[in-house]
């Protein structure tokens, strides 16, 4: 009973820690904006927001990004978001950029096209070589426009229905398999099949996993359980299962990156021998690193570190080259060192350990 109470208190502490980061970074908590400094944004003056006849929401960044400048001046955009919350297209409005350079930079529009509003907000996009100023202006305008769209659609999100797409259904089935089957089946072959499914379906296909970026976003904007059922299942596995004796269950049975590391470890028989003393030092390093990164979030010194967790490398088209490089390094290292990122680095795993 005493241990259970301690776990409940630890879970509450975890929630409060994430809530503090959400308020510090976004000024929002569960969809409620506490900054209240952009009241004028709810109006449609200057066509900042308009709704077309088919329900498409169009965000014009002329006013939102008037302080953002490319090489030749402002680079306003129109962002089209359909009724399902997916970006259908991005258009450039008249600007003073050189047509040649802006033409190169405008290829970035495809980085956001086809993504949901949530996915687009967390997509890391690098500037196009040879058109840096135009690229940075486009990226900054997109960020402003997406933030505006997120606020404008906050109320509507409560009525978003369940997504019956093949991708979402497959992801939910794989997540439930990982949540239930290993509780009753202890079989190496099945475990390998499950790990492959975690990587292919949850990782590469759905791009859905528990990360700091995700949980801070959920804490800031709130979650519609129906439309975000798959992430909800993963969160339950990650934070609730440990309270029933299933410590590190998400890390060991669900996480796509953890699964990838374990499978990589089976490719090479040789393993680097690490002494107990070194393991203890590496574990201490993980704890110190986690503490330092949390301080960066609470103080606002470095919010962006959450964008460099290797989990987003599964979304190859939108992941930055640095994230992909980090993911590859630890994946290759896991061939000779058992799950190195999970054991000695992962900040998300450190948060899970508080509950377990």
């Amino acid at each position: 009973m005493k241990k259970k109470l301690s776990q409940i208190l630890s879970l509450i502490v975890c929630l409060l820690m994430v809530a503090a980061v959400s308020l510090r970074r976004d000024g929002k908590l569960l969809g409620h904006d506490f900054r209240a400094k952009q009241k004028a944004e709810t109006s449609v003056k200057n066509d900042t927001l308009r709704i077309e006849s088919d329900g498409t929401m169009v965000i014009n960044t002329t006013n939102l990004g008037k302080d953002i400048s490319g090489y030749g001046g402002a680079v306003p955009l129109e962002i089209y978001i359909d009724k399902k919350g997916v970006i259908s297209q991005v258009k450039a409005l008249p600007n003073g950029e050189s047509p040649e350079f802006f033409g190169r930079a405008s290829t970035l529009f495809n980085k956001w096209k086809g993504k949901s509003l949530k996915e687009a907000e967390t997509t890391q996009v690098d500037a196009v070589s040879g058109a840096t100023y135009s690229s940075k202006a486009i990226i900054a305008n997109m960020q402003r426009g997406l933030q505006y769209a997120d606020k404008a659609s906050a109320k509507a999100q409560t009525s978003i229905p369940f997504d019956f797409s093949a991708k979402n259904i497959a992801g939910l089935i794989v997540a439930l398999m990982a949540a239930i089957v290993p509780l009753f089946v202890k079989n190496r072959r099945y475990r390998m099949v499950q790990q492959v499914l975690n990587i292919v379906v949850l990782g590469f296909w759905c791009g859905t996993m528990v990360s700091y970026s995700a949980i801070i976003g959920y804490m800031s904007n709130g979650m519609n359980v129906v439309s975000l059922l798959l992430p909800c299942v993963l969160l339950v596995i990650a934070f609730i299962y440990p309270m029933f004796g299933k410590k590190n269950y998400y890390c060991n049975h669900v996480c796509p990156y953890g699964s990838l590391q374990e499978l990589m470890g089976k490719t090479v028989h040789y393993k680097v021998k690490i002494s107990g003393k070194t393991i203890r030092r590496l574990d201490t390093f993980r704890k110190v690193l986690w503490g330092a990164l949390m301080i960066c979030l609470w103080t606002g010194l470095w919010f962006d570190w959450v964008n460099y967790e290797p989990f987003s490398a599964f979304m190859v088209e939108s992941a930055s080259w640095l994230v992909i490089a980090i993911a590859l390094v630890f994946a290759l290292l896991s061939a000779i060192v058992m799950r190195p990122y999970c054991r000695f680095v992962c900040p998300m795993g450190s948060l899970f350990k508080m509950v377990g």
Side-chain angles (χ1 to χ4, degrees), residues 254-295:
V254 186
C255 178
Y257 194 57
S259 297
L260 177 62
Q261 289 178 83
E262 186 165 331
L263 288 181
M264 283 293 294
K266 299 180 187 299
T267 62
V268 178
H269 292 296
Y270 170 78
K271 294 291 180 289
V272 174
K273 294 182 179 180
I274 306 176
S275 67
K277 185 177 182 180
T278 301
I279 289 176
R280 288 192 293 273
R281 287 178 175 175
L282 288 171
D283 187 59
T284 299
F285 166 77
R286 176 184 58 79
K287 294 175 182 177
V288 172
L289 175 65
W290 178 74
L293 292 176
M294 289 303 299
I295 290 173

Side-chain angles (χ1 to χ4, degrees), residues 5-304:
L5 179 61
S6 175
Q7 289 178 314
I8 293 173
L9 291 175
S10 295
L11 178 60
I12 293 173
V13 170
C14 286
L15 293 174
L16 290 175
M17 288 166 63
V18 177
V21 175
S22 298
L23 287 170
R24 182 70 176 82
R25 189 188 73 172
D26 304 325
K28 295 193 297 183
L29 190 62
L30 300 177
H32 299 286
D33 192 341
F34 291 93
R35 288 177 179 169
K37 66 178 182 179
Q38 298 181 356
K39 296 179 181 179
E41 285 189 358
T42 56
S43 83
V44 294
K45 292 181 180 180
N46 299 311
D47 207 26
T48 299
L49 167 66
R50 73 175 187 272
I51 306 296
E52 299 195 332
S53 58
D54 62 353
T56 296
M57 179 167 61
V58 183
I59 305 297
N60 183 321
T61 69
T62 299
N63 286 329
L64 298 176
K66 60 186 178 182
D67 60 329
I68 299 170
S69 180
Y71 191 82
V75 184
L77 306 173
E78 278 192 338
I79 306 170
Y80 289 71
I81 304 168
D82 66 23
K83 291 189 295 184
K84 294 182 179 180
V86 175
I87 297 173
S88 57
Q89 61 177 319
V90 180
K91 290 183 179 179
L93 296 174
N95 59 70
E97 299 295 278
S98 166
E100 178 184 356
F101 292 113
F102 190 78
R104 296 180 191 172
S106 62
T107 59
L108 293 174
F109 293 166
N110 291 326
K111 296 289 187 180
W112 295 284
K113 188 176 179 181
K115 295 185 181 296
S116 70
L117 189 56
K118 298 297 182 187
E119 291 172 338
E121 284 188 276
T122 57
T123 295
Q124 297 299 301
V125 179
D126 295 323
V128 175
S129 178
T132 304
Y133 289 99
S134 296
S135 298
K136 289 185 176 180
I138 287 173
I139 294 168
N141 270 273
M142 281 297 300
Q143 290 173 341
R144 293 277 179 89
L146 293 170
Q147 289 169 3
Y148 181 92
D150 186 47
K151 294 178 180 179
S153 62
K155 292 183 180 180
Q157 288 177 359
T158 58
S159 60
I160 296 176
F162 179 75
D163 178 8
F164 284 96
S165 66
K167 178 172 72 173
N168 198 50
I169 294 295
L172 190 57
I173 290 173
V174 171
L176 290 174
M177 286 173 59
I180 298 171
V181 178
L183 297 175
F184 306 98
V185 177
K186 308 296 182 182
N187 181 283
R188 289 184 178 181
R189 289 185 179 178
Y190 171 76
R191 180 173 176 80
M192 187 174 294
V193 170
Q194 181 68 59
Q195 288 173 331
V196 171
L197 290 174
N198 292 343
I199 295 167
V200 175
V201 179
L202 294 180
F204 287 110
W205 194 12
C206 298
T208 303
M209 56 212 78
V210 181
S211 66
Y212 261 97
S213 179
I215 63 173
I216 293 172
Y218 299 145
M219 184 64 75
S220 294
N221 303 304
M223 292 186 72
N224 180 287
V225 176
V226 176
S227 61
L228 296 174
L229 185 56
L230 175 55
C232 284
V233 170
L234 298 184
L235 288 172
V236 168
I237 297 171
F239 290 101
I240 304 302
Y241 268 41
M243 300 179 68
F244 293 90
K246 301 302 176 182
K247 187 176 181 180
N248 298 326
Y249 190 93
Y250 174 85
C251 301
N252 294 329
H253 297 283
V254 186
C255 178
Y257 194 57
S259 297
L260 177 62
Q261 289 178 83
E262 186 165 331
L263 288 181
M264 283 293 294
K266 299 180 187 299
T267 62
V268 178
H269 292 296
Y270 170 78
K271 294 291 180 289
V272 174
K273 294 182 179 180
I274 306 176
S275 67
K277 185 177 182 180
T278 301
I279 289 176
R280 288 192 293 273
R281 287 178 175 175
L282 288 171
D283 187 59
T284 299
F285 166 77
R286 176 184 58 79
K287 294 175 182 177
V288 172
L289 175 65
W290 178 74
L293 292 176
M294 289 303 299
I295 290 173
C296 287
L297 289 178
W298 292 328
T299 60
L301 288 175
W302 188 26
F303 286 129
D304 289 344

